Amino acid sequence: MKKFLPKFFAVFLLAASFSACQNQDNKELKDKNYTQFVNPFIGAADNGHTFPGACVPFGMIQTSPDTGFGSWRYCSGYNFEDSFIYGFSQTHLNGTGCVDLANILVLPFSGEKIIDKYGSSFDKAQETASPGYYSVNLKDFDVKAELTATQHVAFHRYTFNSDNQSNLLVNMQHGMVWNMDQYESNVVESSYNFDDEYTLSGYIKSSIWVEQKIFFVMKFDHKIADSQVLEADSRNKAPKLVLSFPEIKKGEQLLMKVAVSTVSQEGAKKNMDAELSNWDFENTVALADKSWNDMFKRIDVQGTPDEMANFYTSFYHSLIQPNNIADVDGQYRGADDSIHISSTRNFYSTISAWDTYRAAHPFYTLVMTDYVGDMVNSLVEQSQIQGFLPIWGLWGKENYCMIGNHSVPIIVEAYLKGIEGIDAEKAYTEIKKSLTVSHRGSDWETYDKYGYYPTDKMKTESVSKTLECAYDDYAAAQMASKLGKSEDQDFFNKRSMQYKNLFDSQTLFMRPKNSDGTWKSPFNPSQLAHSESIGGDYTEGNAWQYTWHVQHDPMGLIELFPSKDEFINKLDSLFTIDLSKYGQSLSDVTGLIGMYAHGNEPSHHVTYLYSLAGKPERTQELIRQIFDMHYKNKPDGLCGNDDCGQMSAWYMFNAMGFYPLNPVSGEYIFGAPQISSITLNLTNGNKFEIVANNLSKENLYIDSIELNGKPYTKNTISHSDIMKGGKLIYNMRAKK
């Protein structure tokens, strides 16, 4: 890291020179190297669960080092605090709280063919990373490893600096698992074949979070002189192979390409032929860098070095997924394990909807508009295959993680914002079916019978499920209204108000209720809950955190309290009562300010409730506090799992000074800007400039707002107004 940081910060000194010029011409913006502002190590320590390896925007490949496996610590396969690498696998999850992927691990090594414990120590000072590129020196073997990628192909370059024989371990058994007992049984089927002296192809079927099939083709620029199968545990379903390359001498390199497909080995070959038919590693790195720059130039930021690092790394993390798992010919393996063809040649999966509907998908509809139609169509296609919209879609399969069905607001938000390429009737059919026909993860008969999920019927997460389903119902009602389906609109509108059935006017909390209408007792609002580990009526949280989960009707929530002052007092307590004093802790409940947990998504909109209750200055104070405490330009700079870009999207919206408290509404509520100048280069050709005059450590409050040269007094700005282009000016002040 020491080698990486000077280069990294030198770039920021160069970037600072840009801030003096407020009106760069188009050529300067086009040539600006935004990738140099990204620090891929942010979030790679503590519980951020990001990885530093190589990938391209929305690519199927994320080739990265694995420094551990077998625990929650290694959801991404990497932790910055480690100094040992087991090898480099080809697929990874970014910032999740569950484990999977890390398929087809490879390790270059020199010396004896058979190694008992694979892996190597490495020097952190010689580890570097940038978007689309990763490099490290393996100390134990004196091998320099470099990684880059295309959409479907990982490209590795190994420089062997030892006189010993050059070899490569290929571990087909490898993958991220919850505990070491699962490691040797994570792959349930496999096969491999040497197609010729330069090519190894194979197939594995693994089953951890979802059951998945991955086909691969591995090509080398040197002949495979010998291969050996390491003695495997009797439980293993996949081999560990050692390939030997004796013709590679000291100082020479081995190049390797690994293409993958969910469909077939032929599909993997097509992907390689289409994307990487040559052996030009440097050019592939340059193309990966360009692919990221082409995305990053959609937003031009002028800020301090740390602000630039945090913003563009957030942008980077938000585009690592969803992943397009379709082959270059549009074929992909669906939830039914059959082969399907996408009409657009794209099928997006790895959609953590419970997290990302809140800010990541609204960010896509604002900045990545040209990708959103295909994302929505992918959700609809998966629903047509499996019978309901994805809850958490991973590699085309359903893992049933989390609650509600937040594919619904993702689709509705995109449709209401006019995203092109969406078949509204087809999409609405899947929405209605998903919200009325029971399936694993839902019980609409119980929900409709009682008007909430009773704690004695559901056993776990009853309050959280009720509140989150209410938001999905609200979203469905908005789409039904737009389509002229008045009966459906009335039905879903009525259900969306059922959140009120769980508000206890005595304790002023959203409280679990029994099927006979009585409140669950005893009731401890500080008691944390989690369905998989400790049970309870809340999802990764408690009553303090979930009482505010009414994104679609915040004014209605305020009215449930005896007065607005009582509401504000309760909200104040959320940020001042120390959760730790109650002896409560949970790995998913982090980034605490009192009871508020910024490291977990249900809290992400809560600061904005102050603005709606008439205290916008408190919203502005808290946003600054969250920025200062929980987003830092260092490996442990995230206070919780990045969760497929949601934590990162929160940062970017709030840097701009507004946030989609209710994404489906098409309105962004004002908070306070955190960066002085941001320009959105929108996909429709318009520009939207955001300027924060007099922004400083002291001047954190908004004094006034101007839009296109005129005073602006609303507490929200619409998506449609931003898309028209223009200039938004915040005039900042210190508190009077």
Side-chain angles (χ1 to χ4, degrees):
M1 188 64 176
K2 292 178 182 177
K3 183 178 179 181
F4 175 75
L5 285 176
K7 177 182 176 183
F8 187 68
F9 285 110
V11 170
F12 287 135
L13 294 177
L14 177 62
S17 67
F18 285 113
S19 63
C21 178
Q22 296 298 315
N23 298 303
Q24 300 175 30
D25 63 29
N26 291 334
K27 184 179 186 302
E28 286 176 316
L29 286 173
K30 181 179 179 181
D31 294 343
K32 191 171 180 179
N33 188 0
Y34 295 92
T35 59
Q36 296 184 64
F37 305 145
V38 176
N39 179 359
F41 293 104
I42 291 177
D46 198 13
N47 62 347
H49 290 179
T50 64
F51 62 84
C55 58
V56 295
F58 305 123
M60 188 177 182
I61 284 286
Q62 309 86 32
T63 183
S64 187
D66 291 339
T67 63
F69 49 91
S71 71
W72 185 79
R73 174 183 172 91
Y74 294 108
C75 291
S76 74
Y78 179 92
N79 194 289
F80 185 81
E81 297 172 353
D82 296 335
S83 58
F84 187 88
I85 287 175
Y86 289 89
F88 309 98
S89 51
Q90 316 314 310
T91 59
H92 289 86
L93 291 168
N94 170 46
T96 64
C98 288
V99 301
D100 208 330
L101 303 184
N103 306 113
I104 316 166
L105 181 136
V106 296
L107 174 72
F109 70 98
S110 55
E112 294 295 326
K113 287 186 180 181
I114 297 177
I115 51 178
D116 295 326
K117 183 178 181 180
Y118 59 89
S120 171
S121 60
F122 68 100
D123 188 344
K124 302 297 290 188
Q126 295 179 312
E127 183 183 36
T128 65
S130 61
Y133 176 78
Y134 174 85
S135 177
V136 70
N137 286 344
L138 303 177
K139 290 174 62 177
D140 296 355
F141 306 120
D142 204 6
V143 176
K144 179 180 181 180
E146 298 173 274
L147 315 176
T148 189
T150 68
Q151 285 279 324
H152 298 84
V153 188
F155 198 179
H156 298 229
R157 181 167 70 181
Y158 305 127
T159 303
F160 291 86
N161 295 310
S162 167
D163 289 323
N164 295 320
Q165 180 171 291
S166 302
N167 307 301
L168 183 77
L169 172 73
V170 180
N171 184 355
M172 295 173 60
Q173 185 68 40
H174 186 74
M176 291 301 118
V177 292
W178 284 111
N179 56 67
M180 292 309 298
D181 289 340
Q182 292 180 315
Y183 184 73
E184 299 296 349
S185 58
N186 119 74
V187 172
V188 295
E189 288 179 8
S190 73
S191 64
Y192 71 94
N193 182 66
F194 289 97
D195 299 349
D196 55 43
E197 293 177 303
Y198 298 89
T199 309
L200 171 68
S201 62
Y203 148 80
I204 61 172
K205 176 182 177 182
S206 64
S207 182
I208 294 297
W209 205 1
V210 297
E211 184 178 278
Q212 57 191 311
K213 294 179 180 178
I214 181 168
F215 299 84
F216 70 90
V217 174
M218 186 179 293
K219 280 187 173 290
F220 302 93
D221 70 334
H222 286 73
K223 288 183 180 180
I224 305 168
D226 187 28
S227 65
Q228 183 177 1
V229 179
L230 294 184
E231 185 176 348
D233 188 287
S234 60
R235 295 174 296 172
N236 281 8
K237 299 293 184 180
K240 297 181 181 72
L241 304 174
V242 172
L243 312 182
S244 299
F245 302 89
E247 67 183 59
I248 297 177
K249 306 304 180 185
K250 180 178 180 179
E252 294 182 344
Q253 296 174 333
L254 173 67
L255 297 178
M256 176 186 70
K257 300 184 290 190
V258 187
V260 298
S261 168
T262 65
V263 175
S264 63
Q265 290 173 5
E266 182 60 32
K269 291 177 182 177
K270 289 180 181 178
N271 293 338
M272 184 181 292
D273 291 342
E275 295 178 3
L276 195 58
S277 59
N278 60 65
W279 291 98
D280 192 336
F281 187 86
E282 298 294 345
N283 184 61
T284 307
V285 172
L287 290 174
D289 182 84
K290 182 180 184 301
S291 71
W292 285 109
N293 260 315
D294 287 344
M295 298 302 184
F296 296 154
K297 69 185 180 184
R298 298 180 182 212
I299 306 179
D300 187 61
V301 174
Q302 308 295 329
T304 68
D306 281 342
E307 287 171 349
M308 299 285 278
N310 285 327
F311 192 96
Y312 284 105
T313 304
S314 293
F315 201 168
Y316 170 71
H317 283 149
S318 72
L319 304 191
I320 290 177
Q321 65 293 298
N323 306 123
N324 177 19
I325 67 166
D327 290 344
V328 292
D329 59 4
Q331 293 190 80
Y332 67 93
R333 187 175 298 275
D336 58 355
D337 205 36
S338 298
I339 307 305
H340 300 265
I341 300 178
S342 168
S343 59
T344 63
R345 292 183 178 266
N346 298 315
F347 182 84
Y348 290 95
S349 195
T350 316
I351 298 181
S352 180
W354 184 83
D355 303 291
T356 56
Y357 87 91
R358 305 166 196 268
H361 283 275
F363 177 76
Y364 302 147
T365 62
L366 183 63
V367 178
M368 310 302 300
T369 315
D370 43 338
Y371 287 82
V372 175
D374 282 0
M375 292 180 187
V376 167
N377 290 333
S378 298
L379 294 171
V380 174
E381 284 184 32
Q382 184 167 338
S383 182
Q384 291 176 312
I385 295 169
Q386 68 185 22
F388 55 92
L389 286 165
I391 300 168
W392 209 123
L394 176 59
W395 272 49
K397 302 295 181 69
E398 179 57 63
N399 64 34
Y400 299 97
C401 188
M402 309 313 292
I403 59 173
N405 193 316
H406 297 322
S407 287
V408 175
I410 290 172
I411 294 169
V412 176
E413 179 210 351
Y415 169 65
L416 294 180
K417 288 179 177 176
I419 298 295
E420 296 180 354
I422 298 173
D423 186 326
E425 288 292 344
K426 183 186 294 184
Y428 181 75
T429 296
E430 298 307 313
I431 287 173
K432 183 176 180 179
K433 180 171 60 176
S434 299
L435 297 184
T436 57
V437 179
S438 293
H439 52 272
R440 179 180 167 184
S442 72
D443 180 355
W444 300 123
E445 289 76 16
T446 298
Y447 187 60
D448 289 335
K449 179 178 179 180
Y450 297 100
Y452 57 92
Y453 281 118
T455 180
D456 54 333
K457 299 292 184 182
M458 297 306 296
K459 303 302 180 187
T460 61
E461 302 177 287
S462 65
V463 176
S464 295
K465 285 180 180 178
T466 300
L467 298 175
E468 301 217 27
C469 287
Y471 187 72
D472 295 339
D473 287 332
Y474 156 80
Q478 306 316 299
M479 190 163 183
S481 174
K482 183 77 171 178
L483 293 172
K485 302 179 185 295
S486 57
E487 187 175 339
D488 286 358
Q489 178 188 353
D490 291 343
F491 172 77
F492 286 119
N493 266 332
K494 181 180 178 181
R495 281 210 322 193
S496 75
M497 293 294 107
Q498 291 181 171
Y499 76 88
K500 297 179 180 180
N501 294 335
L502 293 186
F503 185 77
D504 178 9
S505 60
Q506 298 300 310
T507 64
L508 303 183
F509 284 109
M510 293 292 178
R511 181 175 176 179
K513 182 181 285 187
N514 293 306
S515 56
D516 63 3
T518 60
W519 295 114
K520 182 179 181 179
S521 186
F523 171 58
N524 177 3
S526 301
Q527 179 69 49
L528 292 172
H530 191 298
S531 64
E532 295 180 0
S533 56
I534 58 177
D537 291 283
Y538 304 89
T539 300
E540 298 178 1
N542 59 22
W544 276 105
Q545 291 147 10
Y546 253 98
T547 291
W548 321 101
H549 206 285
V550 187
Q551 293 169 267
H552 60 296
D553 189 27
M555 300 310 294
L557 174 63
I558 292 172
E559 290 171 1
L560 291 178
F561 284 75
S563 67
K564 189 172 289 186
D565 286 343
E566 289 270 15
F567 177 84
I568 291 173
N569 288 338
K570 192 78 169 185
L571 199 53
D572 285 341
S573 297
L574 173 72
F575 290 94
T576 56
I577 294 176
D578 187 351
L579 177 60
S580 64
K581 289 183 178 179
Y582 291 85
Q584 298 290 308
S585 65
L586 192 63
S587 58
D588 291 299
V589 180
T590 56
L592 293 171
I593 302 175
M595 287 280 187
Y596 173 88
H598 191 73
N600 209 27
E601 281 65 26
S603 289
H604 277 189
H605 69 283
V606 175
T607 57
Y608 287 89
L609 296 177
Y610 277 110
S611 291
L612 296 177
K615 290 192 67 175
E617 68 278 6
R618 186 62 181 135
T619 297
Q620 294 161 24
E621 291 167 353
L622 285 165
I623 290 170
R624 174 63 64 84
Q625 185 176 357
I626 293 167
F627 262 63
D628 290 347
M629 289 179 62
H630 298 314
Y631 290 92
K632 297 179 180 179
N633 179 19
K634 57 181 186 175
D636 61 351
L638 293 180
C639 66
N641 310 150
D642 193 57
D643 282 317
C644 294
Q646 168 59 26
M647 287 279 288
S648 293
W650 189 97
Y651 179 93
M652 289 186 289
F653 270 120
N654 283 275
M656 292 185 272
F658 47 78
Y659 185 76
L661 183 151
N662 173 5
V664 171
S665 71
E667 295 286 330
Y668 305 98
I669 185 168
F670 286 119
Q674 303 300 306
I675 295 178
S676 59
S677 177
I678 299 175
T679 299
L680 305 180
N681 299 303
L682 302 168
T683 55
N684 60 11
N686 296 331
K687 289 181 181 293
F688 189 77
E689 297 179 63
I690 303 167
V691 176
N693 289 331
N694 302 316
L695 178 65
S696 68
K697 181 179 179 180
E698 296 76 23
N699 295 338
L700 58 94
Y701 301 97
I702 296 176
D703 185 54
S704 63
I705 299 175
E706 301 169 34
L707 180 62
N708 299 328
K710 297 179 180 179
Y712 192 86
T713 57
K714 296 180 182 178
N715 66 356
T716 64
I717 185 170
S718 71
H719 178 82
S720 59
D721 279 347
I722 294 175
M723 296 303 291
K724 291 174 186 175
K727 189 170 186 177
L728 179 70
I729 297 177
Y730 302 96
N731 296 304
M732 308 302 292
R733 63 169 172 82
K735 191 171 184 180
K736 295 178 181 177

